[in-house]
Coordinates of all heavy atoms in Angstrom, one line a residue:
H33 N 5.4 16.3 -5.3 CA 6.2 15.4 -4.6 C 6.5 14.0 -5.4 O 7.6 13.5 -5.4 CB 5.5 14.9 -3.2 CG 5.9 16.1 -2.2 ND1 7.0 16.2 -1.6 CD2 4.9 16.8 -1.7 CE1 6.9 17.1 -0.7 NE2 5.6 17.5 -0.7
I34 N 5.4 13.6 -6.0 CA 5.4 12.4 -6.8 C 6.4 12.5 -8.0 O 7.3 11.6 -8.2 CB 4.1 11.9 -7.2 CG1 3.1 11.7 -6.1 CG2 4.1 10.7 -8.1 CD1 3.5 10.6 -5.1
V35 N 6.2 13.5 -8.7 CA 7.1 13.7 -10.0 C 8.5 14.0 -9.6 O 9.4 13.6 -10.2 CB 6.4 14.8 -10.9 CG1 7.3 15.2 -12.0 CG2 5.0 14.3 -11.4
G36 N 8.6 14.7 -8.4 CA 9.9 15.1 -8.1 C 10.7 13.9 -7.7 O 11.9 13.7 -8.0
E37 N 10.2 12.9 -7.0 CA 10.8 11.7 -6.7 C 11.1 10.8 -8.0 O 12.1 10.2 -8.2 CB 9.9 10.8 -5.7 CG 9.9 11.3 -4.3 CD 11.3 11.2 -3.6 OE1 11.9 10.2 -3.9 OE2 11.6 12.2 -3.0
L38 N 10.2 10.8 -8.9 CA 10.3 10.0 -10.1 C 11.3 10.6 -11.0 O 12.0 9.8 -11.8 CB 8.9 10.1 -10.9 CG 8.7 8.9 -11.9 CD1 8.9 7.5 -11.3 CD2 7.2 9.1 -12.3
E39 N 11.7 11.9 -10.8 CA 12.8 12.4 -11.6 C 14.2 12.2 -11.2 O 15.1 12.4 -11.9 CB 12.6 13.9 -11.7 CG 11.4 14.4 -12.6 CD 11.1 15.9 -12.7 OE1 11.7 16.6 -11.8 OE2 10.4 16.3 -13.5
K40 N 14.3 11.6 -10.0 CA 15.6 11.2 -9.5 C 16.2 10.1 -10.2 O 15.4 9.1 -10.6 CB 15.5 10.8 -7.9 CG 15.1 12.1 -7.1 CD 15.0 11.7 -5.6 CE 14.6 13.0 -4.8 NZ 14.4 12.6 -3.4
P41 N 17.5 10.1 -10.4 CA 18.1 9.0 -11.1 C 17.8 7.6 -10.4 O 17.9 7.4 -9.2 CB 19.6 9.2 -11.0 CG 19.7 10.7 -10.6 CD 18.5 11.0 -10.0
G42 N 17.5 6.6 -11.3 CA 17.3 5.2 -10.8 C 15.9 4.9 -10.4 O 15.6 3.8 -10.1
V43 N 15.1 5.9 -10.1 CA 13.8 5.7 -9.6 C 12.9 5.3 -10.7 O 12.7 6.0 -11.7 CB 13.4 7.0 -8.9 CG1 11.8 6.8 -8.4 CG2 14.1 7.3 -7.6
G44 N 12.2 4.1 -10.5 CA 11.3 3.6 -11.6 C 9.9 3.7 -11.2 O 9.0 3.7 -11.9
L45 N 9.6 3.8 -9.8 CA 8.3 3.8 -9.3 C 8.2 4.6 -8.0 O 9.1 4.6 -7.2 CB 7.8 2.4 -9.0 CG 6.3 2.2 -8.6 CD1 5.8 0.8 -9.2 CD2 6.1 2.2 -7.2
V46 N 7.1 5.4 -7.8 CA 7.0 6.2 -6.6 C 5.6 5.6 -6.0 O 4.7 5.5 -6.6 CB 6.9 7.6 -6.8 CG1 6.7 8.4 -5.5 CG2 8.2 8.1 -7.4
T47 N 5.7 5.4 -4.6 CA 4.5 5.0 -3.9 C 4.5 5.9 -2.7 O 5.4 6.6 -2.3 CB 4.5 3.5 -3.7 OG1 3.3 3.1 -3.2 CG2 5.5 3.1 -2.7
C48 N 3.3 5.9 -2.0 CA 3.2 6.7 -0.8 C 2.6 5.9 0.4 O 1.7 5.0 0.2 CB 2.2 7.9 -1.0 SG 2.8 9.1 -2.2
V49 N 3.1 6.2 1.6 CA 2.5 5.6 2.7 C 1.2 6.4 3.0 O 1.0 7.4 2.4 CB 3.3 5.8 4.1 CG1 4.6 5.0 4.0 CG2 3.6 7.2 4.3
Y50 N 0.3 5.9 3.8 CA -1.1 6.5 3.9 C -1.4 6.4 5.4 O -1.0 5.6 6.1 CB -2.1 5.9 3.0 CG -2.2 4.3 3.1 CD1 -3.2 3.7 4.1 CD2 -1.4 3.4 2.4 CE1 -3.3 2.5 4.2 CE2 -1.6 2.1 2.5 CZ -2.6 1.6 3.4 OH -2.7 0.3 3.5
R51 N -2.2 7.4 5.7 CA -2.9 7.5 7.0 C -4.4 7.3 6.8 O -4.9 7.4 5.7 CB -2.5 8.8 7.7 CG -3.0 10.0 7.0 CD -2.6 11.4 7.6 NE -2.9 12.4 6.7 CZ -4.1 12.9 6.5 NH1 -5.1 12.3 7.0 NH2 -4.3 13.9 5.7
A52 N -5.0 7.0 7.9 CA -6.4 6.7 7.9 C -7.2 8.0 8.0 O -6.9 8.9 8.7 CB -6.8 5.8 9.0
Q53 N -8.3 8.1 7.2 CA -9.3 9.1 7.3 C -10.7 8.4 7.5 O -11.4 8.0 6.5 CB -9.4 9.9 5.9 CG -10.4 11.1 6.0 CD -10.0 12.2 7.1 OE1 -8.9 12.6 7.2 NE2 -11.0 12.4 7.9
P54 N -11.0 8.3 8.8 CA -12.3 7.6 9.1 C -13.6 8.3 8.8 O -13.7 9.5 9.0 CB -12.2 7.2 10.5 CG -11.4 8.3 11.1 CD -10.4 8.7 10.0
D55 N -14.6 7.5 8.3 CA -15.9 8.1 8.2 C -16.4 8.2 9.6 O -15.8 7.6 10.6 CB -16.8 7.1 7.5 CG -16.7 7.2 6.0 OD1 -15.9 8.1 5.5 OD2 -17.3 6.3 5.2
P56 N -17.6 9.0 9.9 CA -18.1 9.0 11.2 C -18.5 7.6 11.8 O -19.0 6.8 11.0 CB -19.3 9.9 11.2 CG -19.0 10.7 9.9 CD -18.2 9.8 8.9
G57 N -18.4 7.4 13.0 CA -18.9 6.1 13.6 C -17.7 5.3 14.2 O -16.5 5.7 14.1
F58 N -18.1 4.4 15.1 CA -17.2 3.6 15.8 C -16.3 2.7 15.0 O -15.1 2.6 15.2 CB -18.0 2.8 16.9 CG -17.0 1.8 17.7 CD1 -16.3 2.3 18.7 CD2 -17.1 0.4 17.3 CE1 -15.5 1.5 19.4 CE2 -16.3 -0.5 18.0 CZ -15.5 0.1 19.1
W59 N -16.9 1.9 14.1 CA -16.2 0.9 13.3 C -15.1 1.6 12.4 O -14.0 1.1 12.2 CB -17.1 0.1 12.5 CG -18.0 -0.7 13.5 CD1 -19.3 -0.6 13.7 CD2 -17.5 -1.7 14.4 NE1 -19.8 -1.5 14.7 CE2 -18.6 -2.1 15.2 CE3 -16.3 -2.2 14.8 CZ2 -18.6 -3.0 16.2 CZ3 -16.2 -3.2 15.9 CH2 -17.3 -3.6 16.5
P60 N -15.5 2.7 11.7 CA -14.5 3.3 10.9 C -13.3 4.0 11.8 O -12.1 3.9 11.4 CB -15.2 4.5 10.2 CG -16.6 4.1 10.1 CD -16.8 3.3 11.4
R61 N -13.7 4.4 12.9 CA -12.6 4.9 13.8 C -11.7 3.7 14.3 O -10.4 3.9 14.4 CB -13.2 5.6 15.0 CG -13.7 7.0 14.7 CD -14.0 8.0 15.9 NE -14.5 7.3 17.1 CZ -15.9 7.3 17.2 NH1 -16.7 7.8 16.3 NH2 -16.4 6.6 18.3
L62 N -12.3 2.6 14.6 CA -11.5 1.4 15.0 C -10.6 1.0 13.7 O -9.4 0.6 14.0 CB -12.4 0.3 15.4 CG -11.7 -0.9 16.1 CD1 -10.9 -0.5 17.3 CD2 -12.9 -1.9 16.4
S63 N -11.1 1.1 12.6 CA -10.3 0.7 11.4 C -9.2 1.7 11.2 O -8.0 1.3 10.9 CB -11.2 0.7 10.1 OG -10.4 0.6 9.0
A64 N -9.4 2.9 11.5 CA -8.4 4.0 11.4 C -7.3 3.6 12.5 O -6.1 3.9 12.3 CB -9.0 5.3 11.6
T65 N -7.7 3.2 13.7 CA -6.8 2.9 14.7 C -5.8 1.8 14.3 O -4.6 1.8 14.5 CB -7.5 2.6 15.9 OG1 -8.3 3.7 16.4 CG2 -6.6 2.1 17.2
A66 N -6.4 0.9 13.6 CA -5.5 -0.2 13.1 C -4.5 0.2 12.1 O -3.4 -0.2 12.2 CB -6.4 -1.3 12.5
T67 N -4.9 1.2 11.3 CA -4.0 1.7 10.3 C -2.8 2.5 11.0 O -1.6 2.4 10.8 CB -4.6 2.7 9.2 OG1 -5.6 2.0 8.6 CG2 -3.6 3.4 8.4
H68 N -3.2 3.4 12.0 CA -2.3 4.2 12.7 C -1.4 3.5 13.7 O -0.2 3.8 13.9 CB -3.0 5.4 13.4 CG -3.7 6.3 12.4 ND1 -4.8 7.0 12.8 CD2 -3.4 6.6 11.1 CE1 -5.1 7.8 11.7 NE2 -4.3 7.5 10.8
Y69 N -1.9 2.5 14.3 CA -1.1 1.8 15.4 C -0.6 0.4 15.0 O 0.1 -0.2 15.8 CB -2.0 1.6 16.6 CG -2.2 3.1 17.1 CD1 -3.5 3.6 17.0 CD2 -1.3 3.8 17.8 CE1 -3.8 4.9 17.5 CE2 -1.5 5.1 18.2 CZ -2.7 5.7 18.1 OH -3.1 6.9 18.6
Q70 N -1.0 -0.1 13.8 CA -0.5 -1.4 13.4 C 0.2 -1.2 12.0 O 1.5 -1.5 11.9 CB -1.6 -2.4 13.2 CG -1.2 -3.7 12.7 CD -2.3 -4.7 12.4 OE1 -3.5 -4.4 12.8 NE2 -2.1 -5.9 11.9
F71 N -0.5 -0.8 11.0 CA 0.1 -0.6 9.7 C 1.3 0.3 9.7 O 2.5 -0.1 9.2 CB -0.9 -0.2 8.6 CG -0.4 0.3 7.4 CD1 0.1 -0.7 6.4 CD2 -0.3 1.6 7.0 CE1 0.7 -0.2 5.2 CE2 0.2 2.1 5.8 CZ 0.7 1.1 4.9
L72 N 1.1 1.5 10.1 CA 2.2 2.6 9.9 C 3.4 2.2 10.8 O 4.6 2.3 10.2 CB 1.7 4.0 10.3 CG 0.8 4.7 9.3 CD1 0.3 6.0 9.8 CD2 1.7 4.9 8.0
P73 N 3.3 1.8 12.1 CA 4.4 1.4 12.8 C 5.2 0.2 12.1 O 6.4 0.2 12.1 CB 3.9 1.0 14.2 CG 2.7 1.8 14.3 CD 2.1 1.8 12.9
G74 N 4.4 -0.7 11.5 CA 5.0 -1.9 10.9 C 5.8 -1.4 9.7 O 7.0 -1.9 9.5
V75 N 5.3 -0.6 8.9 CA 6.0 0.0 7.7 C 7.3 0.7 8.1 O 8.3 0.5 7.5 CB 5.1 0.9 6.8 CG1 5.8 1.6 5.8 CG2 4.0 0.1 6.2

Side-chain angles (χ1 to χ4, degrees):
H33 281 288
I34 299 298
V35 173
E37 286 293 319
L38 203 51
E39 289 178 344
K40 292 180 180 176
V43 173
L45 185 148
V46 178
T47 191
C48 292
V49 296
Y50 56 91
R51 58 183 173 73
Q53 181 62 50
D55 283 356
F58 176 75
W59 299 113
R61 284 195 319 271
L62 191 58
S63 177
T65 299
T67 298
H68 293 153
Y69 296 105
Q70 179 184 354
F71 166 75
L72 281 174
V75 168

